């Protein structure tokens, strides 16, 4: 038995080098140089070894195939079998195939709305998340832009009208194009695509609609599904999947939830002239975001005509004889809705995958538990993306998938790096952020300086609309390092993506100050804020004290 220690990933136990050399000769495997070099599975050089690495400083046996009854390598149909062809699964599979592994992916047939029997190559982001959502955000922007244009001299003899069916048809055609592109990406990489529902039978076997496949490694990347609480009348509720593919535009909609999905759809439907009401259980939207950003975005959204109902929990949905819906909450009943949408979170899509049978550990909400290399409690089974409920963002799933492929097939153990991950909320106005919130920075560093600008953007000076922009830097007072960067206003996600490089690189406020701005832009504010809005210092008693100065504002 060869034991591989993950802490150094070198062969160090139970066999001396001469014995190991003898084993290599018997198996006709080239001897690595040096012998103690990293020993992860590589299909080109170690196809006769079934390695079971534990990358949390535990050791597993690496069984050599020989005449003692062990199975030959041909026992496995594939080196990697991936269940779920979303962003993380496609990335891991494609990279693994490029590294020389034999790879298969199974995925359900395409449909804009996911179910137990439908899915599609591309996954949530491409088919019923980021991409169609952003297309609808674009569509909804025009009403605001028509309004802005009047201050710039544009006149309309007839008010522009929106045709919902055109938007849906063009959106769905684009989704069909994208799922075809993803299929071609897999095909060109040499990945076998199998249509059907995959279920794990044992640590190396997958059942796809009655046909069995074996694999050295199994990857689970099935993502998540919208969660709707079971309350009376919940059968009348739509989720985010359905909201992206409605046959007609809602006239009046109640959106339950205060997270980013709720705010994004509120902006979409409001921009498309639907009457929008948002019901949230808390006092504020976007729990976990910077507090000032939370307050600012709620104020700006309200100015666009969206009505918030705070500290209201849904209790029932009632359908009237005329087909309209009423939403009963702890504070009363709101009536006359054509649609009620729940944006009450997402849950890992782990039901009926056979995980419990093979011993894969999961959390209470169904997320798969993994180590820092994305390995589950079963050594041959791995998981990436939203199904693990770590950081549920598409680019993070891509990072995890790429890291896993390197770990398994490149002799390069790679941990995903979750530091300074930028993110965006495509609300209207949108939010971009990277790094720590002010509250997180105070807890972690104690002494911080806050730089902030709250101003009227140039476009609003002629449009006459009440649009404003909030920009904020969170800086460590001791090291001058920029810990967090936050923005709410037009083009925030585009601007923050660029500045995320600076925050990730650990640049200081002095580096920002030394950068020449581009004028006239909103982004230049991040490199021209010289005076702290407030200085927060930890007192001897462990409390925080704030020295407040005037906030920059125009």
């Amino acid at each position: 038995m060869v034991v591989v220690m993950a802490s150094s990933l070198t062969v160090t136990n139970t066999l001396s080098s001469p014995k190991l050399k003898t084993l290599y000769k018997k198996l006709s495997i080239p001897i690595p140089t040096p012998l103690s070099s990293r020993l992860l599975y590589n299909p080109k050089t170690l196809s006769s070894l079934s390695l079971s690495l534990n990358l949390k400083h535990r050791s597993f046996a690496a069984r050599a195939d020989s005449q003692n009854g062990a199975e030959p390598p041909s026992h496995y149909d594939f080196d990697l079998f991936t269940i779920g062809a979303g962003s993380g699964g496609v990335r891991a599979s494609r990279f693994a195939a490029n590294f020389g592994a034999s790879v298969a992916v199974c995925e359900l047939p395409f449909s804009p709305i996911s179910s137990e029997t439908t899915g599609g190559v591309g996954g949530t982001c491409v088919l019923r998340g980021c991409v169609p959502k952003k297309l609808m955000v674009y569509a909804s922007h025009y009403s605001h832009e028509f309004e802005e244009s009047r201050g710039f001299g544009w006149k309309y003899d007839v008010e522009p009208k929106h045709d919902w069916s055109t938007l849906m048809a063009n959106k769905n055609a684009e989704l069909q194009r994208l799922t075809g592109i993803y299929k071609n990406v897999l095909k060109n990489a040499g990945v076998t695509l199998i249509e059907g529902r995959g279920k794990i039978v044992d640590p190396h076997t997958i059942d796809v609609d009655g046909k069995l496949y074996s694999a050295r490694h199994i990857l689970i990347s099935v993502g998540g599904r919208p969660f709707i609480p079971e309350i009376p009348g919940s059968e009348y509720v739509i989720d985010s999947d359905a909201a992206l593919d409605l046959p007609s535009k809602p006239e009046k909609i109640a959106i339950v939830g205060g997270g980013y999905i709720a705010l994004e759809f509120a902006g979409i439907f409001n921009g498309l002239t639907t009457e929008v009401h948002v019901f949230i259980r808390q006092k504020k939207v976007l729990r976990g975001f910077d507090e000032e950003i939370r307050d600012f975005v709620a104020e700006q959204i309200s100015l666009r005509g969206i009505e918030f109902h705070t500290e209201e929990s849904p209790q029932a949905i009632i359908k009237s004889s005329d087909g309209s819906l009423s939403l009963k909450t702890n504070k009363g009943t709101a009536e006359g809705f054509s649609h009620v949408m729940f944006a009450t979170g997402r849950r890992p899509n782990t039901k009926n995958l056979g995980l419990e049978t093979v011993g894969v550990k999961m959390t209470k909400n169904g997320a798969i538990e993994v180590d820092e290399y994305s390995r589950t409690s079963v050594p041959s089974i791995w998981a990436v993306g939203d199904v693990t409920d770590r950081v549920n963002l598409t680019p993070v799933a891509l990072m995890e998938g790429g890291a896993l492929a390197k770990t398994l097939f490149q002799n390069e153990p790679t941990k995903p790096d979750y530091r300074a991950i930028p993110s965006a909320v495509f609300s209207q106005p949108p939010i971009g952020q990277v790094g720590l919130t002010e509250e997180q920075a105070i807890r972690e560093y104690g002494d911080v300086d806050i730089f902030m600008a709250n101003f009227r953007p140039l476009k609003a000076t002629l449009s006459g609309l009440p649009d404003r922009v909030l920009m904020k830097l969170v800086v460590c007072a001791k090291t001058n390092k920029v810990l967090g960067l936050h923005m709410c206003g037009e083009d925030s996600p585009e601007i923050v993506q660029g500045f995320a490089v600076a925050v990730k690189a650990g640049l200081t406020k002095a580096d920002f100050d030394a950068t020449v701005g581009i004028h006239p832009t909103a982004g230049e504010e991040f490199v021209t804020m010289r005076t702290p809005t407030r200085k927060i210092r930890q007192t001897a008693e462990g409390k925080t004290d704030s020295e407040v100065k005037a906030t920059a504002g125009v």
Side-chain angles (χ1 to χ4, degrees), residues 229 237 254-259 262 277-281 312-314 317 327 329 340-345:
V237 169
I255 299 177
V256 178
H277 295 254
V278 178
F279 294 79
I280 61 175
R281 290 180 300 172
E312 293 202 36
S313 298
I317 296 95
L327 176 63
T329 74
V340 175
M341 174 184 173
F342 271 40
T344 45

Side-chain angles (χ1 to χ4, degrees), residues 8 50 60 115 126 129 138 179 306 317 362 398 435 456 460 480 519:
S8 62
S50 175
F60 284 94
S115 70
V126 174
Y138 285 137
T179 194
I306 294 171
I317 296 95
M362 292 181 284
L398 294 172
R456 190 183 190 190
N480 201 230
H519 185 74

